[in-house]
Amino acid sequence: MIWDWSLVREALPPMLRGFGMTILATILATVVALILGLLIAIVRRSAPKVISVPIGAVVEFIRSTPLLVQLFAVFVIFNQLTAFQVGITVLGIHYATYMSEVYRAGIDGVPKGQWEAATALSMSPSRTWTAVVMPQAVRAILPAMTNYAISMFKETPFLAVIGVAEMVFEAGEVGSFHFRFLEVYTIAGLLFLLASYPTSLLARRLEKRLAN
C-alpha cells in the first residue's frame, strides 16, 4: 500500500497538538519581533553612534548567520532555558532584525513636514511618535510585517532540532516509530499550506487596499 490511512488516523491527534504549538510559537515570536524590531529601529535612527553602531553590527551578524546555527548555539549556552523558550527567543530576535529595517523604511517614509508640524505644535517626542509618526509608518509597513510573520510560521520546523514538540517534530516521532514518513510529512505540508496560503491572500488584499 502506497498510502496508509490507518497511519494518518494515528498521526493526526499528536500532529494537531503540535500544530497548536506551532501557532503559539509563531504568535509569541511575532510579538517579540514586532516590539524588539521597533526598539532597534528607533535606537539605530535616534541614538548616538556609540550606541547605534554596535547595535547595527549585532543586527548584521544575526542577519548573516543561519537561524539553525543560532538555535543550537543559544540552546547550548543558555541551557537553563527550556527548548520552547529558546525557540521563541531566537526566532523572535532573528526576525526582529529584519522587521527593524521595515520599521526604519516606514519611519523614514513619513514626510518631513509631519515632524515639523509636531514640533511647531510643541508635541513631546513620545506624543510625536505615538500620534503622528507610527500611525503613518504602520500603515505603510503592515503588508511587509504580515509577510515576515508568515515566513516565521513556515520556519518553526527548525525548532524541532532542539526538541520543541511542534508539528514537524510530532510528525517525525510518528514516522520514526512506524518507519514511514510519506503520510506524516504530507499532512504536515498540507497543514502549513492550509494555514499560510489564506494568510498570504489576506496580506495581498491588505497591501492593495492600503495602496489605494
Side-chain angles (χ1 to χ4, degrees):
M1 180 182 291
I2 298 177
W3 185 267
D4 188 348
W5 286 106
S6 63
L7 178 58
V8 172
R9 289 191 294 270
E10 180 183 340
L12 269 177
M15 288 186 65
L16 290 176
R17 288 195 299 271
F19 185 67
M21 182 67 75
T22 296
I23 296 295
L24 178 61
T26 302
I27 292 173
L28 294 178
T30 299
V31 171
V32 172
L34 288 172
I35 296 173
L36 184 59
L38 177 59
L39 293 176
I40 293 172
I42 293 175
V43 169
R44 292 189 69 185
R45 190 180 190 280
S46 306
K49 286 188 176 181
V50 68
I51 297 175
S52 62
V53 171
I55 290 179
V58 172
V59 167
E60 290 304 318
F61 174 79
I62 293 174
R63 293 181 64 179
S64 301
T65 53
L67 175 61
L68 191 60
V69 173
Q70 295 169 16
L71 282 168
F72 271 124
V74 175
F75 185 65
V76 172
I77 296 171
F78 298 95
N79 52 24
Q80 71 274 20
L81 299 177
T82 66
F84 185 74
Q85 290 170 335
V86 170
I88 297 305
T89 302
V90 173
L91 199 59
I93 293 175
H94 184 85
Y95 271 89
T97 61
Y98 291 96
M99 290 190 177
S100 67
E101 294 301 314
V102 178
Y103 275 122
R104 287 180 66 187
I107 292 169
D108 290 342
V110 176
K112 185 178 179 180
Q114 298 289 322
W115 296 86
E116 295 172 346
T119 302
L121 293 172
S122 300
M123 297 177 68
S124 65
S126 60
R127 180 65 176 167
T128 299
W129 279 98
T130 57
V132 178
V133 177
M134 289 312 300
Q136 297 181 68
V138 167
R139 179 182 174 86
I141 66 177
L142 193 56
M145 291 297 191
T146 305
N147 288 331
Y148 274 127
I150 295 171
S151 296
M152 192 185 306
F153 169 67
K154 291 187 291 186
E155 290 199 343
T156 52
F158 283 127
L159 304 186
V161 300
I162 59 172
V164 177
E166 48 74 61
M167 182 170 57
V168 173
F169 178 89
E170 296 289 358
E173 290 288 292
V174 176
S176 297
F177 183 79
H178 292 279
F179 298 102
R180 287 184 64 97
F181 295 93
L182 172 64
E183 293 85 355
V184 292
Y185 285 134
T186 299
I187 295 170
L190 289 174
L191 287 173
F192 271 111
L193 178 64
L194 289 173
S196 62
Y197 184 65
T199 309
S200 298
L201 293 178
L202 180 62
R204 292 174 192 171
R205 289 188 62 182
L206 181 62
E207 185 174 2
K208 290 179 181 179
R209 184 168 182 177
L210 292 177
N212 293 332

